[in-house]
Structures are given as C-alpha cells and as structure tokens.
Amino acid sequence: MSATTTMDRRKQRRFPLAATIKRATGWQRFMLVTGLIIVGLFLFTAILAPVLAPYGYAQTGDAAGAFGSQQAPNDRNLLGTTVSGFDVLSRVIWGTQTALLVIIVAVFASLIIGVLIGLISGYIGGWLDRIVVVVADAIYAFPSLLLAIVMSIVISGGNSSLWGGVLAAALSITVVFIPQYFRVVRSEVVRVKNEPFVEAAKVIGAKHSRIMFRHVLRNSIRTLPVIITLNASESILTLAGLGFLGFGIEPTQAAELGYDLHRSINDVTSGIWWTAIFPGVAIVLIVLGVTLVGESLNDLADPRLRGRVAAAVAGGAQATDVVEETNDNPDEDLP
C-alpha cells in the first residue's frame, strides 16, 4: 500500500463528509450539496433561534405597542403577523427549533431501541427471532399519524406543552421507526455472525456480549446513516400533521409550523397569504433538504448505483480521450 493511499484513507476518516461529496458525481453531487446546504441552514436557524428571532414565539407587541392582527409585511414585522397577533418571522424561526427537537428525540430513541433488539434477535436467532419479527411486522402496519394523534391525546389531552407535543410526536414516530432499524440491523447481524472473524473470537473464548457489541455490531450499522436521514423528514411531517389537525403544541407554549398552517386556513380565503406561505415553505424546504441528503447517501451506499455512475464517468472520460487523439493533427486527412 502506497503512502498516498494511506494518506487518502486517513483524510476520509477525518473528513467523512468531504469524502462523501468527492465520491458523488454529476447530478448526484448537486443533490447532495444542495441538501447539505438546506440542512445546514435549518440547523443554524434552529440552534440560534433565540438570537435570530426578532421577537418571542408568543409575543404580540413591543415597546411601540401591539403588532395588530393579520398585518401585512412591514418594517416592524418583516413577514407580517398572524390572526393572533404573533410575528410570522419569529414563529417560523422558533418553529424550526421545535422540529429539530422532535427529530432528535424520535430518531435517537428509535435508533437505540431498534438497533438493540435487532442485534439480540439476529445473534440469538431461534424462536425468539421469529416472535420478534412477527411483532415488528405488526407494529410497522400502524399509521404513524394516527398513532401520533392517539399519543397526543393520551399524554396531554390534545393540548400539548412544548415537551408534551414533542414527546407525543416523538413516541409515535419511535414506535413506527423501530421495526425499520430492527430489520436492517437484524439482517446484517445474521450475515456477520457467520463470518470467520466472529468464529475466531468464539474459539479464543470471548464472551458473547463482547462478540455482539465489539465485533458484530460494529460491522452491522454501516447503512444506518441513510435510514436516519430518510426518517428525519418523516418526523417533521408527522409533527406538522399533528399541528395542522389541531393536536399539536399550544401557541403560547412553543412555535409549531403545522399549527400556524392550521390557523391560516381562513386567512387564505380572505387574501391574507403571508400567514400560510412562509410556514408552508419552511416545512417544504426542511423536508426537501433532509430528503435530498438521504436519497444521495442511499445512492452512494448502493454498490450497483455507485458502479453504474463510475462506469458512466469512465466511459465519458475515454470518449473524450478518443476525440482528443483523433483531432491531434486535423490537417493530416486533408487532400
């Protein structure tokens, strides 16, 4: 192995994102970079919401007086105000923070539980594996939004505080997402546990817990980042659906984009467009960015698609070389 190859591998380990972008080509790279930019802006806005938002999420006035209801965009309220007198720009910015909280709680909880169950079920096998597979298939059949509504009613009676609404959406999403992580990890564990290095670990007397977590698990989670990104967009849509149906977070407790869309239904019929356009565009952009990243990573993780792109690029390069060689001396064929 040359020194250049070793250095390239070290750079890929230190900067995995840059290595992923470098592997992508053409339209695939454009989708990945665009998605990363949108997701970066989303994270930047959510984390710095207290700094970026001109007003609080439930603030209806400032030192100059009340904002007024359904005011068009102006100097005080750059994106106008809602029917309740809230600043639209502030609600959108604070709403991204709420969406980020739901993604973190839902994805983290379903990831931990799904991976753990998949690891144990795939490694032990037998009757336990068959029972868990049947239960996972049954849970996966539940509609996530319907389950979110039930969870919201059970947890907070449909009138949620910030953490009540976040937990209602996150728990429902967690239950639905667990089978996805379970299936992926279980299939990988079933394959990896029969590899020679696992058999060697058993021969030297390694404990099952060490084999499971150190040898099997580490080689069974390579595709999880793809699933995480794809599930994050569904988490946002579930939270927005709860708010739009009236089971979301109370406006005095936190900002939620789906609830703002629900409150703007009557405004649209009256020609008041700003209360619906900006929350709707925010939801679309966040879901679009996360989906672009997830789909791009999925394509890069698929050897068939990756090989097809590489072959196309190589074929294009060879065709270019042939053209250049043919045209080295264009005057030779002239009479």
Side-chain angles (χ1 to χ4, degrees):
M1 183 181 297
S2 63
T4 304
T5 304
T6 304
M7 186 176 299
D8 291 340
R9 289 188 176 182
R10 289 178 179 177
K11 289 182 179 179
Q12 291 179 2
R13 292 176 181 176
R14 293 180 181 178
F15 308 102
L17 182 59
T20 302
I21 296 176
K22 186 178 180 180
R23 273 175 24 200
T25 57
W27 179 251
Q28 190 180 70
R29 176 178 292 181
F30 173 77
M31 290 174 56
L32 178 59
V33 173
T34 302
L36 288 174
I37 292 174
I38 297 175
V39 171
L41 291 175
F42 163 59
L43 294 176
F44 177 81
T45 304
I47 295 173
L48 298 180
V51 178
L52 298 177
Y55 307 105
Y57 53 80
Q59 189 173 343
T60 58
D62 55 10
F67 294 144
S69 176
Q70 300 175 327
Q71 296 295 311
N74 53 70
D75 295 338
R76 292 176 65 193
N77 309 107
L78 297 180
L79 301 185
T81 61
T82 67
V83 66
S84 302
F86 301 137
D87 180 63
V88 174
L89 176 59
S90 300
R91 295 282 300 179
V92 170
I93 294 175
W94 285 103
T96 60
Q97 189 178 75
T98 306
L100 180 61
L101 289 175
V102 171
I103 292 175
I104 293 175
V105 175
V107 174
F108 181 78
S110 57
L111 177 66
I112 297 298
I113 300 174
V115 169
L116 185 60
I117 296 176
L119 176 62
I120 297 174
S121 177
Y123 186 82
I124 296 177
W127 62 269
L128 175 63
D129 182 48
R130 291 192 292 269
I131 293 177
V132 175
V133 169
V134 172
V135 173
D137 292 340
I139 294 176
Y140 193 70
F142 279 91
S144 59
L145 185 57
L146 178 60
L147 188 57
I149 294 174
V150 175
M151 287 285 186
S152 177
I153 296 175
V154 171
I155 292 176
S156 55
N159 297 318
S160 300
S161 62
L162 171 60
W163 283 108
V166 168
L167 290 177
L171 288 177
S172 63
I173 297 167
T174 297
V175 174
V176 176
F177 283 178
I178 285 175
Q180 298 183 22
Y181 295 103
F182 163 77
R183 288 177 175 181
V184 173
V185 174
R186 175 190 171 276
S187 62
E188 288 295 315
V189 169
V190 171
R191 178 185 63 84
V192 172
K193 74 176 183 179
N194 296 318
E195 293 291 332
F197 65 88
V198 177
E199 296 295 333
K202 293 180 180 178
V203 170
I204 64 176
K207 296 181 179 180
H208 288 292
S209 58
R210 179 180 176 84
I211 296 174
M212 289 172 60
F213 290 97
R214 185 172 182 83
H215 300 288
V216 177
L217 181 61
R218 291 178 60 181
N219 294 279
S220 303
I221 58 175
R222 297 178 181 178
T223 58
L224 289 186
V226 178
I227 304 177
I228 290 173
T229 53
L230 294 176
N231 287 346
S233 60
E234 188 173 346
S235 304
I236 299 171
L237 292 176
T238 301
L239 178 65
L242 276 175
F244 188 80
L245 294 175
F247 295 95
I249 303 172
E250 288 295 302
T252 57
Q253 300 294 325
E256 202 281 299
L257 300 175
Y259 177 87
D260 291 341
L261 279 179
H262 170 71
R263 296 286 291 173
S264 65
I265 294 177
N266 295 329
D267 297 345
V268 175
T269 59
S270 303
I272 303 173
W273 53 270
W274 55 87
T275 58
I277 290 294
F278 297 112
V281 169
I283 295 174
V284 171
L285 286 178
I286 295 172
V287 174
L288 175 64
V290 177
T291 303
L292 286 177
V293 174
E295 291 295 339
S296 300
L297 293 178
N298 187 34
D299 292 346
L300 291 174
D302 192 334
R304 295 170 299 178
L305 296 176
R306 187 169 63 245
R308 193 179 306 165
V309 172
V313 173
Q318 292 176 1
T320 303
D321 294 339
V322 170
V323 172
E324 290 178 352
E325 291 177 2
T326 306
N327 295 332
D328 282 340
N329 297 308
D331 295 333
E332 288 181 356
D333 297 332
L334 295 178

PDB file of all heavy atoms in Angstrom, residues 87-111:
ATOM      1  N   ASP A  87     -45.785  37.507  15.449  1.00  0.00           N
ATOM      2  CA  ASP A  87     -44.898  37.830  14.341  1.00  0.00           C
ATOM      3  C   ASP A  87     -44.602  36.554  13.541  1.00  0.00           C
ATOM      4  O   ASP A  87     -44.106  35.566  14.099  1.00  0.00           O
ATOM      5  CB  ASP A  87     -43.599  38.436  14.868  1.00  0.00           C
ATOM      6  CG  ASP A  87     -42.635  38.792  13.754  1.00  0.00           C
ATOM      7  OD1 ASP A  87     -42.972  39.659  12.931  1.00  0.00           O
ATOM      8  OD2 ASP A  87     -41.544  38.179  13.701  1.00  0.00           O
ATOM      9  N   VAL A  88     -44.877  36.555  12.235  1.00  0.00           N
ATOM     10  CA  VAL A  88     -44.728  35.360  11.410  1.00  0.00           C
ATOM     11  C   VAL A  88     -43.262  34.928  11.327  1.00  0.00           C
ATOM     12  O   VAL A  88     -42.945  33.737  11.440  1.00  0.00           O
ATOM     13  CB  VAL A  88     -45.301  35.592  10.001  1.00  0.00           C
ATOM     14  CG1 VAL A  88     -45.008  34.401   9.090  1.00  0.00           C
ATOM     15  CG2 VAL A  88     -46.800  35.858  10.072  1.00  0.00           C
ATOM     16  N   LEU A  89     -42.366  35.878  11.135  1.00  0.00           N
ATOM     17  CA  LEU A  89     -40.945  35.545  11.031  1.00  0.00           C
ATOM     18  C   LEU A  89     -40.445  34.864  12.307  1.00  0.00           C
ATOM     19  O   LEU A  89     -39.728  33.852  12.248  1.00  0.00           O
ATOM     20  CB  LEU A  89     -40.123  36.796  10.742  1.00  0.00           C
ATOM     21  CG  LEU A  89     -38.608  36.619  10.699  1.00  0.00           C
ATOM     22  CD1 LEU A  89     -38.212  35.612   9.628  1.00  0.00           C
ATOM     23  CD2 LEU A  89     -37.914  37.962  10.467  1.00  0.00           C
ATOM     24  N   SER A  90     -40.821  35.388  13.441  1.00  0.00           N
ATOM     25  CA  SER A  90     -40.390  34.795  14.709  1.00  0.00           C
ATOM     26  C   SER A  90     -40.977  33.400  14.890  1.00  0.00           C
ATOM     27  O   SER A  90     -40.292  32.488  15.370  1.00  0.00           O
ATOM     28  CB  SER A  90     -40.805  35.690  15.879  1.00  0.00           C
ATOM     29  OG  SER A  90     -40.218  36.969  15.774  1.00  0.00           O
ATOM     30  N   ARG A  91     -42.242  33.220  14.506  1.00  0.00           N
ATOM     31  CA  ARG A  91     -42.869  31.903  14.629  1.00  0.00           C
ATOM     32  C   ARG A  91     -42.171  30.875  13.742  1.00  0.00           C
ATOM     33  O   ARG A  91     -41.983  29.724  14.146  1.00  0.00           O
ATOM     34  CB  ARG A  91     -44.342  31.990  14.249  1.00  0.00           C
ATOM     35  CG  ARG A  91     -45.198  32.837  15.168  1.00  0.00           C
ATOM     36  CD  ARG A  91     -45.561  32.143  16.450  1.00  0.00           C
ATOM     37  NE  ARG A  91     -46.322  30.917  16.241  1.00  0.00           N
ATOM     38  CZ  ARG A  91     -46.728  30.137  17.238  1.00  0.00           C
ATOM     39  NH1 ARG A  91     -46.421  30.433  18.494  1.00  0.00           N
ATOM     40  NH2 ARG A  91     -47.424  29.049  16.996  1.00  0.00           N
ATOM     41  N   VAL A  92     -41.776  31.275  12.545  1.00  0.00           N
ATOM     42  CA  VAL A  92     -41.094  30.345  11.643  1.00  0.00           C
ATOM     43  C   VAL A  92     -39.734  29.950  12.212  1.00  0.00           C
ATOM     44  O   VAL A  92     -39.348  28.777  12.203  1.00  0.00           O
ATOM     45  CB  VAL A  92     -40.948  30.971  10.241  1.00  0.00           C
ATOM     46  CG1 VAL A  92     -40.033  30.115   9.368  1.00  0.00           C
ATOM     47  CG2 VAL A  92     -42.314  31.112   9.585  1.00  0.00           C
ATOM     48  N   ILE A  93     -38.989  30.927  12.721  1.00  0.00           N
ATOM     49  CA  ILE A  93     -37.658  30.644  13.265  1.00  0.00           C
ATOM     50  C   ILE A  93     -37.752  29.751  14.493  1.00  0.00           C
ATOM     51  O   ILE A  93     -37.029  28.751  14.615  1.00  0.00           O
ATOM     52  CB  ILE A  93     -36.925  31.956  13.597  1.00  0.00           C
ATOM     53  CG1 ILE A  93     -36.633  32.734  12.306  1.00  0.00           C
ATOM     54  CG2 ILE A  93     -35.637  31.684  14.350  1.00  0.00           C
ATOM     55  CD1 ILE A  93     -36.008  34.095  12.539  1.00  0.00           C
ATOM     56  N   TRP A  94     -38.641  30.076  15.421  1.00  0.00           N
ATOM     57  CA  TRP A  94     -38.809  29.236  16.608  1.00  0.00           C
ATOM     58  C   TRP A  94     -39.377  27.860  16.248  1.00  0.00           C
ATOM     59  O   TRP A  94     -39.095  26.866  16.919  1.00  0.00           O
ATOM     60  CB  TRP A  94     -39.726  29.925  17.619  1.00  0.00           C
ATOM     61  CG  TRP A  94     -39.086  31.056  18.358  1.00  0.00           C
ATOM     62  CD1 TRP A  94     -39.269  32.384  18.139  1.00  0.00           C
ATOM     63  CD2 TRP A  94     -38.163  30.963  19.454  1.00  0.00           C
ATOM     64  NE1 TRP A  94     -38.522  33.137  19.010  1.00  0.00           N
ATOM     65  CE2 TRP A  94     -37.829  32.285  19.837  1.00  0.00           C
ATOM     66  CE3 TRP A  94     -37.593  29.899  20.129  1.00  0.00           C
ATOM     67  CZ2 TRP A  94     -36.957  32.559  20.876  1.00  0.00           C
ATOM     68  CZ3 TRP A  94     -36.713  30.167  21.171  1.00  0.00           C
ATOM     69  CH2 TRP A  94     -36.404  31.486  21.538  1.00  0.00           C
ATOM     70  N   GLY A  95     -40.181  27.791  15.177  1.00  0.00           N
ATOM     71  CA  GLY A  95     -40.739  26.511  14.750  1.00  0.00           C
ATOM     72  C   GLY A  95     -39.679  25.535  14.270  1.00  0.00           C
ATOM     73  O   GLY A  95     -39.830  24.314  14.438  1.00  0.00           O
ATOM     74  N   THR A  96     -38.601  26.033  13.674  1.00  0.00           N
ATOM     75  CA  THR A  96     -37.516  25.137  13.270  1.00  0.00           C
ATOM     76  C   THR A  96     -36.850  24.488  14.475  1.00  0.00           C
ATOM     77  O   THR A  96     -36.416  23.339  14.407  1.00  0.00           O
ATOM     78  CB  THR A  96     -36.466  25.923  12.463  1.00  0.00           C
ATOM     79  OG1 THR A  96     -35.927  26.985  13.259  1.00  0.00           O
ATOM     80  CG2 THR A  96     -37.076  26.507  11.201  1.00  0.00           C
ATOM     81  N   GLN A  97     -36.790  25.216  15.592  1.00  0.00           N
ATOM     82  CA  GLN A  97     -36.208  24.637  16.804  1.00  0.00           C
ATOM     83  C   GLN A  97     -37.070  23.500  17.335  1.00  0.00           C
ATOM     84  O   GLN A  97     -36.557  22.457  17.761  1.00  0.00           O
ATOM     85  CB  GLN A  97     -36.035  25.724  17.869  1.00  0.00           C
ATOM     86  CG  GLN A  97     -35.253  25.274  19.082  1.00  0.00           C
ATOM     87  CD  GLN A  97     -35.076  26.407  20.085  1.00  0.00           C
ATOM     88  OE1 GLN A  97     -36.015  26.765  20.794  1.00  0.00           O
ATOM     89  NE2 GLN A  97     -33.873  26.971  20.149  1.00  0.00           N
ATOM     90  N   THR A  98     -38.393  23.675  17.314  1.00  0.00           N
ATOM     91  CA  THR A  98     -39.298  22.613  17.743  1.00  0.00           C
ATOM     92  C   THR A  98     -39.156  21.379  16.852  1.00  0.00           C
ATOM     93  O   THR A  98     -39.140  20.244  17.340  1.00  0.00           O
ATOM     94  CB  THR A  98     -40.750  23.104  17.715  1.00  0.00           C
ATOM     95  OG1 THR A  98     -40.867  24.303  18.495  1.00  0.00           O
ATOM     96  CG2 THR A  98     -41.696  22.054  18.261  1.00  0.00           C
ATOM     97  N   ALA A  99     -39.055  21.598  15.535  1.00  0.00           N
ATOM     98  CA  ALA A  99     -38.886  20.480  14.614  1.00  0.00           C
ATOM     99  C   ALA A  99     -37.587  19.729  14.879  1.00  0.00           C
ATOM    100  O   ALA A  99     -37.544  18.490  14.831  1.00  0.00           O
ATOM    101  CB  ALA A  99     -38.917  20.986  13.172  1.00  0.00           C
ATOM    102  N   LEU A 100     -36.530  20.454  15.177  1.00  0.00           N
ATOM    103  CA  LEU A 100     -35.246  19.812  15.465  1.00  0.00           C
ATOM    104  C   LEU A 100     -35.330  18.955  16.730  1.00  0.00           C
ATOM    105  O   LEU A 100     -34.761  17.855  16.784  1.00  0.00           O
ATOM    106  CB  LEU A 100     -34.152  20.867  15.611  1.00  0.00           C
ATOM    107  CG  LEU A 100     -32.747  20.348  15.910  1.00  0.00           C
ATOM    108  CD1 LEU A 100     -32.262  19.445  14.789  1.00  0.00           C
ATOM    109  CD2 LEU A 100     -31.775  21.513  16.120  1.00  0.00           C
ATOM    110  N   LEU A 101     -36.045  19.440  17.746  1.00  0.00           N
ATOM    111  CA  LEU A 101     -36.204  18.660  18.974  1.00  0.00           C
ATOM    112  C   LEU A 101     -36.919  17.337  18.706  1.00  0.00           C
ATOM    113  O   LEU A 101     -36.526  16.290  19.236  1.00  0.00           O
ATOM    114  CB  LEU A 101     -36.972  19.472  20.017  1.00  0.00           C
ATOM    115  CG  LEU A 101     -36.244  20.655  20.653  1.00  0.00           C
ATOM    116  CD1 LEU A 101     -37.186  21.426  21.571  1.00  0.00           C
ATOM    117  CD2 LEU A 101     -35.024  20.176  21.427  1.00  0.00           C
ATOM    118  N   VAL A 102     -37.966  17.371  17.882  1.00  0.00           N
ATOM    119  CA  VAL A 102     -38.704  16.150  17.564  1.00  0.00           C
ATOM    120  C   VAL A 102     -37.802  15.166  16.823  1.00  0.00           C
ATOM    121  O   VAL A 102     -37.803  13.957  17.103  1.00  0.00           O
ATOM    122  CB  VAL A 102     -39.953  16.478  16.730  1.00  0.00           C
ATOM    123  CG1 VAL A 102     -40.597  15.204  16.206  1.00  0.00           C
ATOM    124  CG2 VAL A 102     -40.954  17.245  17.567  1.00  0.00           C
ATOM    125  N   ILE A 103     -37.010  15.658  15.873  1.00  0.00           N
ATOM    126  CA  ILE A 103     -36.117  14.781  15.121  1.00  0.00           C
ATOM    127  C   ILE A 103     -35.120  14.106  16.057  1.00  0.00           C
ATOM    128  O   ILE A 103     -34.886  12.888  15.980  1.00  0.00           O
ATOM    129  CB  ILE A 103     -35.377  15.581  14.025  1.00  0.00           C
ATOM    130  CG1 ILE A 103     -36.356  16.047  12.955  1.00  0.00           C
ATOM    131  CG2 ILE A 103     -34.285  14.732  13.399  1.00  0.00           C
ATOM    132  CD1 ILE A 103     -35.717  16.930  11.904  1.00  0.00           C
ATOM    133  N   ILE A 104     -34.528  14.891  16.951  1.00  0.00           N
ATOM    134  CA  ILE A 104     -33.506  14.342  17.854  1.00  0.00           C
ATOM    135  C   ILE A 104     -34.097  13.272  18.763  1.00  0.00           C
ATOM    136  O   ILE A 104     -33.558  12.169  18.899  1.00  0.00           O
ATOM    137  CB  ILE A 104     -32.868  15.471  18.678  1.00  0.00           C
ATOM    138  CG1 ILE A 104     -32.052  16.398  17.764  1.00  0.00           C
ATOM    139  CG2 ILE A 104     -31.973  14.894  19.770  1.00  0.00           C
ATOM    140  CD1 ILE A 104     -31.491  17.610  18.477  1.00  0.00           C
ATOM    141  N   VAL A 105     -35.237  13.591  19.400  1.00  0.00           N
ATOM    142  CA  VAL A 105     -35.838  12.644  20.347  1.00  0.00           C
ATOM    143  C   VAL A 105     -36.322  11.391  19.635  1.00  0.00           C
ATOM    144  O   VAL A 105     -36.042  10.256  20.069  1.00  0.00           O
ATOM    145  CB  VAL A 105     -36.996  13.317  21.116  1.00  0.00           C
ATOM    146  CG1 VAL A 105     -37.693  12.305  22.011  1.00  0.00           C
ATOM    147  CG2 VAL A 105     -36.476  14.490  21.933  1.00  0.00           C
ATOM    148  N   ALA A 106     -37.039  11.556  18.522  1.00  0.00           N
ATOM    149  CA  ALA A 106     -37.629  10.409  17.836  1.00  0.00           C
ATOM    150  C   ALA A 106     -36.565   9.504  17.236  1.00  0.00           C
ATOM    151  O   ALA A 106     -36.594   8.275  17.430  1.00  0.00           O
ATOM    152  CB  ALA A 106     -38.584  10.892  16.745  1.00  0.00           C
ATOM    153  N   VAL A 107     -35.648  10.084  16.496  1.00  0.00           N
ATOM    154  CA  VAL A 107     -34.637   9.271  15.816  1.00  0.00           C
ATOM    155  C   VAL A 107     -33.702   8.609  16.827  1.00  0.00           C
ATOM    156  O   VAL A 107     -33.342   7.431  16.679  1.00  0.00           O
ATOM    157  CB  VAL A 107     -33.852  10.134  14.812  1.00  0.00           C
ATOM    158  CG1 VAL A 107     -32.699   9.343  14.212  1.00  0.00           C
ATOM    159  CG2 VAL A 107     -34.769  10.613  13.697  1.00  0.00           C
ATOM    160  N   PHE A 108     -33.296   9.338  17.851  1.00  0.00           N
ATOM    161  CA  PHE A 108     -32.373   8.771  18.833  1.00  0.00           C
ATOM    162  C   PHE A 108     -33.017   7.608  19.576  1.00  0.00           C
ATOM    163  O   PHE A 108     -32.403   6.535  19.747  1.00  0.00           O
ATOM    164  CB  PHE A 108     -31.933   9.846  19.827  1.00  0.00           C
ATOM    165  CG  PHE A 108     -30.966   9.372  20.865  1.00  0.00           C
ATOM    166  CD1 PHE A 108     -29.627   9.196  20.554  1.00  0.00           C
ATOM    167  CD2 PHE A 108     -31.387   9.078  22.157  1.00  0.00           C
ATOM    168  CE1 PHE A 108     -28.727   8.743  21.514  1.00  0.00           C
ATOM    169  CE2 PHE A 108     -30.502   8.632  23.123  1.00  0.00           C
ATOM    170  CZ  PHE A 108     -29.161   8.462  22.792  1.00  0.00           C
ATOM    171  N   ALA A 109     -34.265   7.783  20.018  1.00  0.00           N
ATOM    172  CA  ALA A 109     -34.941   6.715  20.770  1.00  0.00           C
ATOM    173  C   ALA A 109     -35.173   5.486  19.902  1.00  0.00           C
ATOM    174  O   ALA A 109     -34.909   4.349  20.322  1.00  0.00           O
ATOM    175  CB  ALA A 109     -36.267   7.241  21.316  1.00  0.00           C
ATOM    176  N   SER A 110     -35.674   5.690  18.680  1.00  0.00           N
ATOM    177  CA  SER A 110     -35.936   4.536  17.803  1.00  0.00           C
ATOM    178  C   SER A 110     -34.642   3.869  17.368  1.00  0.00           C
ATOM    179  O   SER A 110     -34.594   2.636  17.206  1.00  0.00           O
ATOM    180  CB  SER A 110     -36.728   4.984  16.571  1.00  0.00           C
ATOM    181  OG  SER A 110     -36.038   6.009  15.870  1.00  0.00           O
ATOM    182  N   LEU A 111     -33.583   4.643  17.213  1.00  0.00           N
ATOM    183  CA  LEU A 111     -32.291   4.078  16.831  1.00  0.00           C
ATOM    184  C   LEU A 111     -31.753   3.151  17.917  1.00  0.00           C
ATOM    185  O   LEU A 111     -31.339   2.014  17.635  1.00  0.00           O
ATOM    186  CB  LEU A 111     -31.298   5.205  16.549  1.00  0.00           C
ATOM    187  CG  LEU A 111     -29.868   4.802  16.205  1.00  0.00           C
ATOM    188  CD1 LEU A 111     -29.839   4.070  14.876  1.00  0.00           C
ATOM    189  CD2 LEU A 111     -28.964   6.031  16.141  1.00  0.00           C
TER     190      LEU A 111
END
